[in-house]
Amino acid sequence: MSQQTMPAEAHLARLANSPSIGLRVAALERGHVRLVFHGVASVAEVTLAELHRRACSVAAGLAALGIERGDVVAVQLPHRVEEAVAHAAVLLRGAVLMPFDLSWSAHEVQRALRRSRAVALVTSAWRSHDVLRARNAADGLPGLRHVVAVPGTWPTAGVPADAIEWEILERFRPQPPAAAARPDEVALIAHAPAVRSMPSRAVLHTHASLLAELATMPPAPGVVPRRVHLAPPGAGDLTATTSLLRALVTGLPAVFLERWDATTAVELIQRHHVTSVALTRFHLTALLEAGARSGEGLADMEECHILGAITRAVVEQADRAGIAAYGGYSRVEHPTIAVGSPRDSLHLRVAGAGRLLPGNEVRIVDSAGRDVPPGRDGRILSRGPELFLGYLEQAGEPPIVDGWFATGDRGALDADGRLYMTGAVRAEGAADAA
């Protein structure tokens, strides 16, 4: 069975621009919006206009370093204002953004730098030492021309002599942005860990597919939206990256946590009148328990998009606290294929059902590739404006066949077009469910 919410062409017509243009438009139209970055050692609160100005300065600094449109620039920073500035600056320069997970070891970082042929890395001062030692080794990182060290992150360390201090880039005079990249050019390299039947991989997203994902949360109507969003913890993965960029492009007021702490999250929700969050069910459970202990609850919070697996217990626990929790379905290759709604019934939210986003299509097929009827379990194939371009290192069968991506998961579509997850695809040769 195939299901589509609206023609993909109609959706793509709204996405003719690149994320860099979206950044500039948001800074002009919603520059007053404030973003909060709550760090381990400090708290920064900046307007979107100020963040954009700083990003334009860093983009000018990247240009002075010889970084050109299409060059790969890696970023490994915690959820701090410098991470937001770096992400925006790379896109404004027309370079390819490649975020790294904070949990990665020095070996994993060096391996990704080598495979992607990254020309620059923006990282914390204490991490920069390992990278520079590797670059200076005999068989090091010949393509890595620059390491930009951000001091003041935790844990602290001095800036190496052969690194570029972040503050130097911030002192450049902002220059006119680089010419907008074509929609089909690569904008983002997102690393996906091994999961279920899929190995670890580096996923290529174009300006068009990235902007399509960022557009899944449009700004609320009115001059000052009432919504305030608490971003998911962590940094470097696709969810954290798109959550950050979405705030910059749409002008959605947001609060970012450098490290997850449920008690701190409750305090921030109360202080900044947060209305929505995106968390795993484990983080949500801890948040609900901390909110109950605080005696003041979770103030204005209305909804939670549960990332990953969803359970009846956590949805019902959230409901008792006055929060509508719902799930969705996404892959790094095709972010936000379907998503639930806080307006759905408890039954639908518990089931993790989600409606396809505009422009997205899903087919449910059997092992022979034949479409199955509504309600029947099968393999999930997807396509749409957010679909990736391919893999950095691609071998074997092409990942997209006739426009369709085999997600590696199983699910079912009901008669109303809602997608339900039922599990991962089993090994070849296993029988399909009846």
Side-chain angles (χ1 to χ4, degrees):
M1 178 184 179
S2 173
Q3 184 71 29
Q4 179 180 15
T5 54
M6 69 178 282
E9 292 80 4
H11 185 68
L12 283 171
R14 301 189 296 109
L15 304 173
N17 295 326
S18 68
S20 62
I21 294 177
L23 290 165
R24 298 197 292 273
V25 170
L28 288 171
E29 295 183 350
R30 307 185 65 77
H32 61 279
V33 167
R34 305 191 76 81
L35 303 177
V36 178
F37 297 86
H38 191 279
V40 173
S42 63
V43 177
E45 187 169 343
V46 298
T47 65
L48 197 55
E50 169 63 14
L51 193 149
H52 183 265
R53 186 199 64 75
R54 292 174 62 179
C56 286
S57 293
V58 174
L62 295 178
L65 294 176
I67 293 173
E68 302 290 344
R69 174 171 153 184
D71 284 342
V72 177
V73 178
V75 177
Q76 189 182 34
L77 291 172
H79 263 346
R80 293 168 57 99
V81 67
E82 292 87 358
E83 181 199 27
V85 172
H87 280 44
V90 172
L91 293 174
L92 287 169
R93 181 59 196 148
V96 178
L97 174 64
M98 184 170 64
F100 286 161
D101 194 300
L102 283 178
S103 67
W104 276 15
S105 67
H107 174 73
E108 289 172 306
V109 168
Q110 293 157 27
R111 184 167 176 260
L113 290 171
R114 188 174 295 108
R115 289 185 167 184
S116 65
R117 299 181 176 87
V119 303
L121 168 66
V122 182
T123 190
S124 56
W126 70 278
R127 291 178 185 268
S128 66
H129 292 267
D130 286 335
V131 176
L132 287 166
R133 277 195 294 268
R135 187 184 70 173
N136 297 333
D139 59 344
L141 303 164
L144 187 68
R145 302 198 302 265
H146 309 289
V147 175
V148 179
V150 181
T153 54
W154 186 93
T156 59
V159 174
D162 48 351
I164 299 166
E165 190 166 348
W166 170 261
E167 292 180 358
I168 293 176
L169 299 187
E170 289 230 38
R171 288 200 292 268
F172 271 79
R173 177 177 297 176
Q175 295 179 353
R182 296 195 312 269
D184 60 348
E185 291 181 340
V186 175
L188 176 72
I189 301 176
H191 289 85
V195 59
R196 298 185 290 272
S197 59
M198 302 286 283
S200 60
R201 55 225 183 270
V203 178
L204 305 178
H205 275 285
T206 64
H207 287 270
S209 66
L210 175 57
L211 192 59
E213 165 60 14
L214 302 184
T216 59
M217 187 184 290
V223 177
V224 180
R226 191 178 69 85
R227 295 187 64 187
V228 179
H229 186 68
L230 179 69
D237 63 331
L238 182 65
T239 299
T241 298
T242 55
S243 180
L244 175 59
L245 292 176
R246 188 179 287 121
L248 303 186
V249 168
T250 66
L252 176 71
V255 179
F256 299 91
L257 271 172
E258 182 177 341
R259 286 192 170 192
W260 173 253
D261 178 80
T263 301
T264 301
V266 169
E267 294 171 356
L268 292 172
I269 287 169
Q270 295 170 348
R271 185 185 314 154
H272 298 285
H273 304 286
V274 170
T275 58
S276 65
V277 297
L279 300 170
T280 68
R281 69 182 189 273
F282 305 108
H283 289 115
L284 177 57
T285 297
L287 183 70
L288 293 169
E289 293 172 351
R293 290 195 302 270
S294 75
E296 299 180 25
L298 295 174
D300 300 314
M301 205 172 96
E302 300 170 351
E303 62 182 86
C304 175
H305 179 191
I306 298 180
L307 305 171
I310 192 168
T311 64
R312 170 180 289 273
V314 72
V315 174
E316 292 179 342
Q317 183 184 7
D319 251 40
R320 291 192 293 271
I323 298 165
Y326 55 91
Y329 176 56
S330 65
R331 294 297 301 268
V332 175
E333 291 86 349
H334 191 166
T336 324
I337 297 171
V339 68
S341 167
R343 294 175 293 279
D344 285 341
S345 67
L346 178 62
H347 168 74
L348 290 174
R349 290 187 284 113
V350 164
R355 288 193 176 276
L356 305 185
L357 287 183
N360 283 342
E361 292 181 82
V362 159
R363 290 177 60 203
I364 307 297
V365 301
D366 60 20
S367 58
R370 297 169 300 203
D371 291 282
V372 303
R376 183 176 173 183
D377 168 89
R379 301 169 186 242
I380 301 175
L381 308 182
S382 71
R383 69 180 180 185
E386 301 168 49
L387 192 62
F388 74 130
L389 178 66
Y391 297 114
L392 182 64
E393 294 177 317
Q394 199 161 293
E397 295 296 322
I400 301 172
V401 179
D402 296 328
W404 293 96
F405 169 61
T407 66
D409 292 319
R410 299 183 68 89
L413 281 168
D414 68 15
D416 294 324
R418 293 188 180 88
L419 178 66
Y420 297 79
M421 285 292 298
T422 58
V425 171
R426 289 163 292 187
E428 291 297 326
D432 284 299

